[in-house]
Amino acid sequence: MLFYNFISMTGCKRGTKDNGRSNEDDKAEISWKLRSLPPTNYTFKIENFSLLSDAKAECFQSADFEVGGYKWLLAVYPGGNKKKNGDGYISLYLILSKSNKLAFNQEVNVYFKLFVYDCLRDSYWTVQDEKVRRFRGIKREWGFDKLVSVTDFKDESKGYLADDSCIFGAEIFVIENGSKGECLSMVKSPANNMYTWTINKFSGLNSLDNKSEAFAIGGLNWTITVYPKGDSREIGKSLSIYLNLRDHSIFELGRKLYAEFVFRVKNQLKGKHHEHEGHSVFESSATTSWGFSKFMSLNDLNDKKKGFMHNNTLTVELEIQAMTVLKDLS
């Protein structure tokens, strides 16, 4: 919504005190850019500027205007804000009106631009310091102590004044603090991070793939898929093993899960287990399975002397070593 207001010498108000500004804020560089579009939120016209600059009052303010659910006003110092070493310059500020009833610790984060009309170019100079500013009870004013020198401002060849009138303006974007968020953390060795699957009568399995029962690790449900004679890429050559994430709801709103895991085929003759480490990102229902097509050769698996098969039983062990956890940001 566009507001328009003008002020002449009659009925001018005295400005409010500034509450201080840190040294770091004073170092902000001012960016000037020219554009043809007027300010979208508020326009503040001043007539009889020369009378204002000679007045005893130092500051003149606009009426309140509302943007983003808050009321604001513009303050102009025609001869400069002397308390901010702005003497000899035009000082211009955006102020969070005291008519806003803010809680003691409430703050309003704002990205704003202030405007100065250039009558020679029929365009507006946008003035900003490229920073998000925090308005709150003890700091309601942000702006520019030394916007432009009074000498340049009164020089008609510069275009700021026409018929002793000038125009300022404001565009305000309020950044709401009530946004949602999430916290991502990595959990090492989540509770109960081991699962052992004992597969009896292994040589008699007829299915191409065989799934374990569901089990829980890290608050999520998983299964293991074993291809006794290999998957489509390793059929007749290798044992294939995959880890499957059963909880598809985790992928809502583009969420992802990272996991580090180890698969082992246990050696049942007290020899060395056969294992492979893996790490994967589960990011959609199409990527809920990760593992090893070529986990171990069928020759090694079926060699009784090697001890991986015993009494026609195969023991597969999964260990999830680390995984990411997402929770609401509090």
Side-chain angles (χ1 to χ4, degrees):
M1 180 181 293
L2 174 64
F3 297 85
Y4 188 91
N5 187 229
F6 75 92
I7 184 170
S8 63
M9 187 58 191
T10 305
C12 297
K13 298 187 291 182
R14 187 172 183 84
T16 59
K17 292 183 179 179
D18 178 59
N19 288 292
R21 176 174 301 170
S22 69
N23 292 334
E24 181 180 354
D25 295 327
D26 285 333
K27 295 177 182 178
E29 293 185 3
I30 301 176
S31 170
W32 287 72
K33 296 179 182 178
L34 194 64
R35 80 178 203 189
S36 59
L37 293 175
T40 57
N41 292 136
Y42 196 72
T43 300
F44 184 36
K45 183 177 181 180
I46 296 178
E47 295 179 343
N48 301 320
F49 181 83
S50 59
L51 295 181
L52 266 69
S53 60
D54 293 335
K56 294 180 180 180
E58 185 181 15
C59 175
F60 299 88
Q61 297 178 352
S62 72
D64 286 2
F65 59 94
E66 185 172 340
V67 179
Y70 298 91
K71 292 182 179 179
W72 310 87
L73 56 92
L74 288 178
V76 179
Y77 291 72
N81 185 348
K82 296 178 177 58
K83 293 180 181 179
K84 295 296 181 182
N85 297 318
D87 193 13
Y89 288 83
I90 305 296
S91 301
L92 180 64
Y93 302 98
L94 175 67
I95 299 177
L96 181 65
S97 173
K98 289 186 177 180
S99 62
N100 296 288
K101 303 300 181 183
L102 300 181
F104 173 76
N105 60 345
Q106 185 178 355
E107 60 186 41
V108 185
N109 293 303
V110 172
Y111 181 77
F112 68 91
K113 299 177 182 178
L114 300 183
F115 291 74
V116 185
Y117 181 61
D118 186 331
C119 60
L120 297 180
R121 297 175 177 83
D122 190 24
S123 297
Y124 290 82
W125 288 104
T126 66
V127 192
Q128 60 190 117
D129 62 11
E130 308 291 348
K131 286 189 176 183
V132 174
R133 293 303 186 182
R134 181 174 60 180
F135 292 77
R136 57 193 191 280
I138 61 173
K139 177 58 180 173
R140 292 176 175 266
E141 176 180 299
W142 286 103
F144 307 100
D145 307 322
K146 298 180 179 181
L147 184 73
V148 63
S149 71
V150 172
T151 300
D152 284 346
F153 196 82
K154 292 183 176 181
D155 185 344
E156 294 185 359
S157 67
K158 304 294 185 181
Y160 300 116
L161 284 175
D163 297 326
D164 203 23
S165 298
C166 56
I167 297 175
F168 300 99
E171 284 183 356
I172 304 167
F173 178 71
V174 177
I175 303 172
E176 296 293 342
N177 291 327
S179 62
K180 295 182 178 180
E182 289 180 327
C183 176
L184 172 68
S185 63
M186 176 74 79
V187 176
K188 289 285 188 180
S189 300
N192 302 316
N193 68 323
M194 304 273 290
Y195 176 75
T196 302
W197 181 22
T198 301
I199 309 173
N200 298 312
K201 300 179 181 180
F202 185 79
S203 62
L205 295 176
N206 295 319
S207 300
L208 177 64
D209 61 312
N210 296 266
K211 281 187 170 59
S212 71
E213 63 181 6
F215 56 92
I217 294 179
L220 299 172
N221 291 317
W222 310 82
T223 59
I224 297 171
T225 301
V226 167
Y227 294 78
K229 295 179 174 56
D231 61 14
S232 59
R233 290 173 291 179
E234 287 292 320
I235 190 165
K237 299 177 183 179
S238 302
L239 175 72
S240 304
I241 301 180
Y242 292 88
L243 174 62
N244 317 303
L245 178 60
R246 295 288 301 274
D247 291 321
H248 293 182
S249 61
I250 195 172
F251 304 124
E252 293 177 356
L253 305 176
R255 292 177 174 175
K256 300 176 177 62
L257 172 72
Y258 172 79
E260 297 176 358
F261 54 89
V262 177
F263 270 123
R264 299 182 184 93
V265 169
K266 301 293 287 291
N267 191 303
Q268 301 178 63
L269 297 180
K270 298 184 179 179
K272 185 178 180 181
H273 305 316
H274 187 90
E275 66 179 41
H276 284 297
E277 295 183 356
H279 57 88
S280 303
V281 176
F282 299 83
E283 55 184 334
S284 70
S285 58
T287 58
T288 54
S289 296
W290 288 98
F292 307 94
S293 177
K294 193 176 182 179
F295 184 80
M296 68 182 300
S297 72
L298 294 180
N299 289 335
D300 288 342
L301 177 66
N302 295 317
D303 188 341
K304 295 182 179 180
K305 294 179 181 180
K306 294 185 181 292
F308 299 109
M309 288 280 292
H310 183 66
N311 293 331
N312 201 19
T313 298
L314 184 74
T315 302
V316 177
E317 184 177 81
L318 167 72
E319 177 185 356
I320 295 185
Q321 298 176 314
M323 60 184 290
T324 55
V325 175
L326 277 173
K327 58 184 179 180
D328 291 337
L329 186 62
S330 57

